[in-house]
Amino acid sequence: MKIALLVLLGLVLGALGGAALGIGAGLAWVEFFKTSSFEGYSGMLVFFTFMPLGAAIGGLGGLGGALLFAVIAIRDAEIAIEREPARRDK
C-alpha cells in the first residue's frame, strides 16, 4: 500500500509542478515571441498548450521518481525480512 501511495503522490506532485513550470514557460514564450493578445489568444495558448504539456511531462517525471522510490522500498523490505534477530547471550 505504501508503494502505491508513493507512486500516486509522485504522479500528482509531478503533474502540479510540471503544470506550474508549463505556465511559466508559456508566459515566457508569449513575451519573447510577442504573441498577439487579441481576444485572449496568448492566454489560451498558455493554458491550453503549455500547461497540459508541462503537466504531462512533470507527471511522467514524478511517476518515474515514485517508481524509483518504490523499488528502493521493496528492496529495503526484502533486506529487513532476511535479517536474523540478534542473539541474546545469557
Side-chain angles (χ1 to χ4, degrees):
M1 187 66 170
K2 179 173 102 173
I3 297 167
L5 289 176
L6 277 175
V7 171
L8 186 62
L9 184 66
L11 178 65
V12 170
L13 290 178
L16 286 174
L21 290 175
I23 290 172
L27 291 174
W29 177 280
V30 166
E31 289 297 318
F32 186 73
F33 290 106
K34 306 289 187 224
T35 304
S36 170
S37 291
F38 180 70
E39 292 186 353
Y41 176 72
S42 60
M44 287 189 288
L45 175 69
V46 170
F47 286 99
F48 292 132
T49 303
F50 285 96
M51 186 176 68
L53 285 175
I57 292 169
L60 289 176
L63 185 63
L67 289 175
L68 178 66
F69 283 127
V71 168
I72 292 171
I74 289 171
R75 287 187 179 177
D76 186 41
E78 288 175 0
I79 293 170
I81 290 171
E82 293 175 2
R83 291 184 190 151
E84 295 180 16
R87 289 180 29 181
R88 293 184 184 174
D89 292 327
K90 292 184 180 180

